């Protein structure tokens, strides 16, 4: 039981973030008897303690995220890109956009751009990228440069005070608090969930009851 409380809307949000927290807490318990892991466990526990404050910081960006939604809600397609742990958030964000807005949205692993997805990139393709300071940071920056070089102008979810600039181009950003890598997804998924909400509202859809979906799946 993840202690998330009831999920009222059809499109689940807090179940995803609560599962991340629950699994991280389980991992810290399993690693307690490993001396070499103690500094990392302490870092995780410290960020768990400030997680609620970090979430509030992101929620205060709601006005900025709505403005980005106003720029995007008439589009037909949206790509969400990231690497490593962030790719899971890309999948979640793209799913929420599909569920709530009925737009085509696709999650793309940024490390696979040259295996095909880069052909989709031009100045008219809306793109959101997640680039946080984790072990994939340098490679994610390289992917950003590849996109900008082909005319793409993504909205970048990035750490506070670390605005990316690729090819000298100033990009739109959503700056969020930086946490330890295994908790970062709790923070970086929130802008995607908020964006999905605002896109759906602007397109005139019911965010609580998307068409063709039900809260309980009863068929295989």
């Amino acid at each position: 039981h993840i202690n998330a409380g009831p999920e009222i809307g059809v499109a689940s949000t807090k179940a995803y973030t609560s599962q991340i927290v629950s699994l991280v807490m389980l991992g810290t318990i399993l690693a307690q008897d490993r001396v070499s892991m103690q500094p990392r466990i302490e870092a995780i526990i410290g960020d768990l303690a400030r997680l609620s404050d970090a979430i509030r910081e992101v929620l205060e960006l709601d006005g900025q995220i709505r403005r980005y939604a106003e720029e995007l809600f008439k589009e037909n397609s949206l790509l969400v890109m990231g690497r490593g742990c962030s790719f899971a958030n890309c999948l979640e964000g793209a799913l929420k956009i599909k569920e709530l807005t009925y737009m085509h949205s696709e999650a793309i692993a940024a490390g696979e751009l040259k295996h095909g997805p880069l052909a989709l990139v031009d100045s008219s393709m809306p793109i959101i990228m997640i680039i946080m300071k984790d072990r994939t940071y340098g490679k994610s920056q390289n992917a950003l440069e590849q996109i900008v070089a082909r005319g793409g102008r993504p909205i970048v979810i990035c750490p506070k005070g670390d605005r990316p600039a690729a090819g000298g181009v100033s990009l739109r950003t959503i700056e969020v608090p930086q946490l330890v890598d295994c908790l970062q997804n709790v923070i970086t998924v929130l802008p995607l969930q908020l964006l999905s909400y605002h896109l759906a509202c602007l397109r005139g859809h019911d965010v609580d009851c998307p068409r063709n979906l039900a809260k309980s799946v009863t068929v295989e």
Side-chain angles (χ1 to χ4, degrees), residues 143-156:
L144 176 62
E145 290 172 2
Q146 294 288 330
I147 290 167
V148 170
R150 287 156 179 81
R153 295 296 181 266
I155 298 170
V156 183

Side-chain angles (χ1 to χ4, degrees), residues 81-87 109-111 113 129-147 154 156-157 164 166:
M81 300 184 185
R83 289 186 71 120
C85 294
S86 293
F87 181 59
L113 280 176
M129 290 193 74
I130 304 174
I131 303 179
M132 301 301 293
K133 286 193 171 179
D134 54 20
R135 60 186 177 84
T136 68
Y137 180 71
K139 292 179 179 179
S140 296
Q141 288 279 3
N142 181 62
L144 176 62
E145 290 172 2
Q146 294 288 330
I147 290 167
V156 183
I157 299 173

